[in-house]
Amino acid sequence: MHIAVGLYNYWIVVFLMMAGFYIVVAQGNFIKKIVGLNVFQASVFLLYISLGKVAGGTAPIIGEGIQTYSNPLPHVLILTAIVVGVATTALGLALVVRINEAYGSIEEDEIHKQDSES
Amino acid sequence: MIADHYPALQIVIPLLCAPVCMLVRYRDWSWAVALFGSWASLAISWELLLQVQGAGVISYEMGNWAPPFGIEYRIDPINAFVLLIVSAIGAVVIPYARESVKREFGVNRVYFFYTSYLLCLAGLLGVTITGDAFNLFVFLEISSLSSYVLIALGRDRRALVASYQYLVMGTIGATFIVIAIGLLYAETGTLNMADLAKILAEQPTSRTIGAAFGFMVVGVSLKLALFPLHLWLPNAYSFAPSVVSAFLAATATKVAVYVLLRFLFSIFNVELSFGVMPLDTILLVLSVIAMFAASAVAIYQKNLKRMLAYSSVAQIGYMVLGISFANVSGLMACILHLFNHALMKGGMFLALGCIFYRIASVRLESMAGMGRRMPLTAAAFLIGGLGLIGVPLTVGFISKWYLVEGALARGWWPVAILILLSSLLAVVYVWRIVEVMYMRPVPEDAPEIEEAPPSMLIPTWILIGASVYFAIDTELTVGVAKEAATLLLGGAK
């Protein structure tokens, strides 16, 4: 019971991770691949945030009556990872725009067909 | 005084030069900034190597925050050597880039190249120098993102698709590495590499650590293009601009190999990597397949850049094979081949860039009579090719020598035979080109061409010359490699 319900956040992480990874592999559309990549990365963000959370803990602020607080380090790390993720997405989308200008398509099959003809 | 801050300056100088390059924009000025950034990096990494050899491990506390809480830069013989490789290649490539980049990008876009090149250099050096696991990921992404840009700068539209594919696979690899670091943090509560190693050595292997280990190995293998995760590499190298292919082939995968070494031996210990986990068998099988399959594919390539790219996959197989032996000779072979392959492959890509500069083609059929049309360039290419085969008096021989020794020390003599057999495949793909370059007559309708300009020819010959020099005078490289290999196997402290 504990494994199924108590660790529900980790189940969500695993589900998102697999779903995102599947989208990246299975989709031929370049935008959809980026979406999959984002879902995949978001699952890792959730993993880190779950790691740092202490049950009943507050934000790590020194003050009256604050006894337990969550570990801020994983949360800070994930801020960095989010920035990296945003940069990756931006670059990926920029490449998709350029690919669309060059090929007139963002479908993997169509692009491979054009390349093998030329 | 300033010497105490070399570890920080190693990263800060190229990192600061990058925005400066973007701001000055004007072509030769941005080139001068890049030249300054890369040569300063080379000087610093040489100093650091000397310091490490004199005084042992250097630990630098970033911003004066003491490890394990602050970020520590930790330099020992292994990463000092890798730093030197990366910055030396960077320093040689930049003078070459001046002419080549102007021709391939158009004069007004060159600063894009220099900016992303400096960021990539800073990222690669950062991955190598850092002693903090999460910091490693951040630098890895800096270098990867800028290398996607560098590849996308290629003229051919296929460069865009190659860059996109590399971005997708590279990001998956990097995300795997973050998952591994997160799991390690969950288990140990630290991100400092030395601290991680200490805690992991005391703990029995839990399932979390096992999972972290798996994610880490797969993630890094994607970055270093270990067979069968190499699919991004051939396209990326063949459609990137000439300088970029040379720079990335000589540095990016090498740094990834270093990361693998660091994690397998320094952070996880030998017993966990090869005792609890059967990684030696897995790496052995994959690297042997890489040596044969990639070399065999290389034989059939009509595009020489693509051929060199496949040959890189095969050569990475040799490095990983050295790791799988998990003994001193094997690791020495791996570290030596890191250096030697960077010289040979970098030099060969540069030579191809010289040819491309003159005839705007890297197809095999346009190489006819190149031995007479551009004798110096063709000779450089030939010597690099002999190195890939592993002919005595080239550096390729030195690394194969230690590789065979490692295989025999482990008692795996069939592997030693396989190493020699796979060299025969290299003979085939190199010979094909030699035959076209030297035996075929110059086509009658071929226009008269000169040698490449000296600013391109000299860097090419520096790398190729070094690949011969270090085969004869092996004192520096073998000495450092031996020290590094012993340190890795002696447990990381």
Side-chain angles (χ1 to χ4, degrees), chain B residues 38 50 86 88 142 224 240 302-303 321 350 450 478:
Chain B
S38 55
L50 292 183
V86 172
I142 292 177
L224 67 82
K302 294 265 184 243
N303 178 325
L321 186 65
L350 288 184
E450 292 172 54
V478 171

Side-chain angles (χ1 to χ4, degrees), chain B residues 234-478:
Chain B
N235 279 334
Y237 285 9
S238 27
F239 300 124
S242 315
V243 194
V244 175
S245 308
F247 178 64
L248 291 182
T251 55
T253 47
K254 308 296 172 291
V255 169
V257 171
Y258 158 78
V259 174
L260 188 64
L261 277 175
R262 181 58 88 196
F263 271 94
L264 290 186
F265 293 94
S266 296
I267 296 180
F268 302 105
N269 40 53
V270 182
E271 199 191 322
L272 173 69
S273 304
F274 301 104
V276 182
M277 303 281 171
L279 195 64
D280 47 354
T281 328
I282 298 174
L283 290 184
L284 174 73
V285 172
L286 291 181
S287 53
V288 169
I289 298 176
M291 279 152 45
F292 282 91
S295 301
V297 176
I299 293 175
Y300 292 98
Q301 297 307 315
K302 294 265 184 243
N303 178 325
L304 291 193
K305 266 172 112 177
R306 184 172 276 271
M307 184 219 84
L308 287 185
Y310 275 107
S311 139
S312 277
V313 177
Q315 302 285 326
I316 288 162
Y318 291 118
M319 292 172 217
V320 177
L321 186 65
I323 297 178
S324 78
F325 295 155
N327 57 22
V328 173
S329 304
L331 286 187
M332 276 175 74
C334 174
I335 297 162
L336 281 170
H337 205 51
L338 267 181
F339 179 73
N340 298 343
H341 183 245
L343 293 179
M344 299 184 290
K345 211 30 101 36
M348 289 178 83
F349 268 118
L350 288 184
L352 263 189
C354 291
I355 295 175
F356 186 79
Y357 184 82
R358 285 295 179 218
I359 65 169
S361 166
V362 286
R363 312 276 311 168
L364 184 63
E365 58 268 19
S366 37
M367 296 297 153
M370 205 43 87
R372 280 178 296 278
R373 294 169 80 191
M374 295 175 74
L376 288 172
T377 312
F381 194 86
L382 173 64
I383 295 173
L386 292 178
L388 289 182
I389 300 170
V391 175
L393 287 183
T394 62
V395 280
F397 178 73
I398 309 286
S399 20
K400 284 206 175 131
W401 177 273
Y402 282 101
L403 203 57
V404 170
E405 198 178 281
L408 294 178
R410 191 73 196 257
W412 290 346
W413 58 266
V415 179
I417 296 173
L418 288 176
I419 295 168
L420 299 178
L421 281 179
S422 69
S423 304
L424 290 180
L425 290 178
V427 174
V428 178
Y429 66 69
V430 171
W431 178 254
R432 264 171 78 235
I433 301 164
V434 174
E435 197 259 336
V436 175
M437 277 185 174
Y438 285 92
M439 314 284 174
R440 299 237 180 117
V442 183
E444 296 196 348
D445 56 342
E448 200 61 23
I449 48 170
E450 292 172 54
E451 265 297 344
S455 72
M456 294 173 73
L457 208 51
I458 293 170
T460 310
W461 270 99
I462 288 178
L463 287 187
I464 294 295
S467 83
V468 175
Y469 175 80
F470 285 109
I472 297 161
D473 180 12
T474 55
E475 200 182 306
L476 173 75
T477 49
V478 171

Side-chain angles (χ1 to χ4, degrees), chain B residues 160-240:
Chain B
L160 296 170
V161 183
S163 166
Y164 179 88
Q165 276 164 344
Y166 184 19
L167 180 135
V168 170
M169 294 189 82
T171 307
I172 291 173
T175 311
F176 270 42
I177 295 173
V178 192
I179 297 172
I181 293 170
L183 293 174
L184 280 179
Y185 180 74
E187 194 67 18
T188 61
T190 181
L191 289 169
N192 181 284
M193 288 181 185
D195 215 27
L196 269 173
K198 214 188 306 166
I199 297 174
L200 284 175
E202 288 160 2
Q203 276 183 357
T205 309
S206 66
R207 197 183 291 173
T208 314
I209 294 177
F213 183 81
F215 275 115
M216 181 58 76
V217 171
V218 175
V220 180
S221 303
L222 253 169
K223 289 278 179 191
L224 67 82
L226 175 63
F227 184 90
L229 303 172
H230 67 280
L231 296 171
W232 57 268
L233 188 142
N235 279 334
Y237 285 9
S238 27
F239 300 124

